[in-house]
């Protein structure tokens, strides 16, 4: 294996793990594309903001938290985004309001 191949493999592993590692504050982005949230599961630290970005070509979406009295974002269209800061530890499952088959979770850990 050449050093270039090893570097590419290491970079790919880091990018894969980025969605699995708890982030310490700041902003983490979730892409909405091809009717999916990516990454589908986030593990973050309290105080982190999650920003959902609609990268679709035509569809509008929202972020709906059914366990929180159906807290829902406004609809956002291609190129638009919506953000929420998570301050308390817990598991926050969500769906897309108009497309309930699209699901994701935000896990806030100390």
């Amino acid at each position: 294996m050449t050093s270039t191949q090893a570097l590419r493999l290491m970079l790919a592993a880091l990018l894969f793990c980025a969605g699995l590692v708890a982030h310490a504050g700041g902003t983490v982005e979730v892409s909405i594309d091809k009717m999916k949230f990516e990454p589908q599961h986030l593990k973050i630290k309290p105080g982190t903001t999650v920003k959902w970005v609609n990268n679709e070509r035509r569809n509008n979406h929202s972020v709906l938290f059914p366990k929180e009295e159906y807290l829902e974002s406004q609809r956002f269209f291609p190129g638009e985004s919506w953000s929420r800061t998570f301050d308390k530890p817990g598991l926050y499952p969500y769906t897309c309001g108009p497309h309930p088959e699209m699901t994701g979770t935000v896990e806030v850990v100390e």
Side-chain angles (χ1 to χ4, degrees), residues 84-105:
R84 176 181 175 184
T85 301
F86 293 85
D87 293 318
K88 295 180 181 178
L91 191 61
Y92 298 85
Y94 63 89
T95 66
C96 177
H99 310 105
E101 67 278 8
M102 295 173 57
T103 63
T105 56

Side-chain angles (χ1 to χ4, degrees), residues 29-48:
E29 192 171 290
V30 174
S31 174
I32 301 172
D33 194 19
K34 298 178 184 165
M35 300 295 286
K36 293 181 183 175
F37 294 110
E38 185 62 42
Q40 190 174 15
H41 178 77
L42 284 178
K43 187 181 269 190
I44 60 173
K45 299 274 186 191
T48 302

Side-chain angles (χ1 to χ4, degrees), residues 1 7 11 20 27 29 35-36 39 41 47 52 59-60 62 66 68 75 81 92-93 100 102 108 110:
M1 177 182 293
L7 183 60
L11 181 59
L20 305 175
T27 301
E29 192 171 290
M35 300 295 286
K36 293 181 183 175
H41 178 77
W52 287 267
N59 289 324
N60 68 80
S62 69
E68 295 179 80
R75 300 278 174 100
S81 64
Y92 298 85
M102 295 173 57
V108 183
E110 290 289 339

Side-chain angles (χ1 to χ4, degrees), residues 6-19:
L7 183 60
R8 285 182 181 162
L9 183 60
M10 192 178 345
L11 181 59
L14 283 170
L15 289 173
F16 173 77
C17 292

